[in-house]
């Protein structure tokens, strides 16, 4: 049976999602931030005959995240997605690769991108990488400086909504940005997104071209790792660049699987 979840299901839902907190950080974060009644968000659950949860599907605006630790009713979730998806195509969906890939032949999905998903359970290695750099935490007044840094870097795509997302993240404590500056100019930064009570995703790791190779990005990510773990939050991140993967492993991150995105 599949049905919409409500606040009355919250304890059971979180017990279920906590079994895999890193892969579920987006679902957990959105439920903690917006609950079960927001008009832009729906959460459905599949239950077995004994009333235990088998799978969860989140809709956040026009994007969907399914999760299941084993077999689940993919066709039932497909019907819900078709009923609630907007008229635009392709459908945006993401999730643990072995779960998300079950929708490939069932829905008109966007272009696929597969990323390594890793988490860091210890700050032992990060503490060795922090160095003597002055890593600062950005405030609301720094938002335009963060965007200016990202615009200077060819690999980064800044969208019209980027500023609002940064502001909203800081205001709701669901995101933060740490940075290093030289002569008053921000030259390297890294952010979090989807921070929740259990975990946080590290994103937006960037350094000005002329300041690369100095260890700035490693020091900032190391500081994030130490602070997040001290707060009881598991640091997670995606990567698809082998060179970046080597740096993150040096900081204590370990691959735990793959994440598939369809956009």
């Amino acid at each position: 049976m599949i049905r919409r979840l409500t606040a009355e299901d919250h304890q059971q839902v979180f017990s279920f999602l906590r079994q895999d907190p890193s892969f579920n950080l987006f679902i957990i974060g959105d439920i903690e931030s917006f609950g079960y009644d927001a008009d832009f968000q729906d959460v459905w659950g599949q239950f077995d005959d004994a009333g235990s949860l088998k799978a969860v599907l989140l809709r956040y605006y026009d994007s969907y995240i399914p999760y299941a630790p084993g077999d689940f009713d993919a066709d039932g979730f497909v019907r819900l997605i078709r009923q609630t998806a907007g008229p635009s195509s392709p459908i945006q969906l993401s999730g643990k690769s072995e779960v998300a890939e079950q929708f490939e032949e069932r829905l008109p999905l966007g272009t696929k991108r597969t990323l390594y998903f890793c988490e860091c359970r210890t700050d032992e290695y990060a503490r060795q990488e922090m160095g003597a750099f002055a890593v600062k935490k950005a405030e609301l007044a720094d938002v335009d400086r963060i965007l200016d840094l990202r615009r200077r870097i060819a690999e980064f795509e800044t969208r019209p909504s980027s500023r609002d997302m940064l502001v909203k993240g800081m205001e709701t404590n669901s995101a933060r940005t740490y940075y290093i500056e030289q002569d008053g100019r921000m030259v390297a930064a890294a952010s979090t997104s989807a921070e929740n009570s259990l975990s946080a995703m590290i994103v937006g790791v960037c350094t000005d071209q002329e300041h690369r190779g100095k260890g700035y990005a490693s020091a900032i990510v190391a500081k994030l790792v130490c602070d997040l773990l001290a707060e009881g939050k598991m640091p997670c991140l995606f990567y698809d660049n082998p060179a970046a993967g080597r740096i993150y492993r040096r900081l204590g991150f370990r691959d735990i699987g793959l994440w598939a995105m369809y956009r």
Side-chain angles (χ1 to χ4, degrees), residues 2-15:
I2 298 176
R3 66 169 173 83
R4 191 185 306 274
L5 300 173
T6 70
E8 294 181 357
D9 300 302
H10 186 71
Q11 184 173 351
Q12 184 179 8
V13 172
F14 259 61
S15 294

Side-chain angles (χ1 to χ4, degrees), residues 124-198:
E124 176 185 356
Y125 306 101
R127 290 190 178 280
Q128 301 172 19
E129 295 288 337
M130 289 174 63
F133 301 119
V135 178
K136 301 180 180 180
K137 184 177 181 180
E139 305 294 341
L140 282 171
D142 298 307
V143 165
D144 290 322
R145 299 175 69 206
I146 298 167
L147 292 172
D148 182 58
L149 170 62
R150 292 180 180 178
R151 291 189 187 104
R152 298 198 302 268
I153 299 172
E155 305 96 298
F156 271 79
E157 176 188 1
T158 55
R159 302 177 180 179
S161 60
S162 295
R163 191 180 194 283
D164 289 341
M165 292 175 64
L166 280 169
V167 170
K168 184 177 182 181
M170 289 184 187
E171 289 179 340
T172 60
N173 293 317
S174 62
R176 71 184 84 178
T177 297
Y178 289 178
Y179 68 94
I180 290 174
E181 61 182 359
Q182 291 292 332
D183 301 321
R185 190 186 198 201
M186 190 179 294
V187 297
S191 304
T192 62
S193 69
E195 283 199 36
N196 59 65
S197 59
L198 302 176

Side-chain angles (χ1 to χ4, degrees), residues 17-18 20-29 115-122 174 176 190-205 220-229 232-240 244 248-249 251-259:
L17 297 174
R18 285 175 70 101
D20 204 351
S22 294
F23 273 109
N24 286 320
L25 86 168
F26 295 113
I27 299 178
I28 292 170
L115 303 166
Y116 291 98
F117 194 110
C118 56
E119 65 180 17
C120 186
R121 294 178 173 269
T122 175
S174 62
R176 71 184 84 178
S191 304
T192 62
S193 69
E195 283 199 36
N196 59 65
S197 59
L198 302 176
S199 53
M201 179 64 70
I202 296 177
V203 299
V205 182
I220 295 170
V221 173
K223 172 68 171 170
L224 277 171
V225 165
C226 292
D227 286 1
L228 289 168
L229 286 171
K233 299 180 180 183
M234 183 85 72
C236 305
L237 55 79
F238 299 131
Y239 74 89
D240 58 1
Y248 296 137
R249 283 191 289 273
L251 292 168
F253 284 89
R254 297 295 177 261
D255 293 346
I256 59 172
L258 298 172
W259 184 264

Side-chain angles (χ1 to χ4, degrees), residues 70-86:
D71 294 337
F72 68 102
D73 184 3
D75 289 327
F77 280 176
V78 165
R79 287 191 290 272
L80 287 170
I81 293 172
R82 290 188 181 277
Q83 291 169 12
T84 57

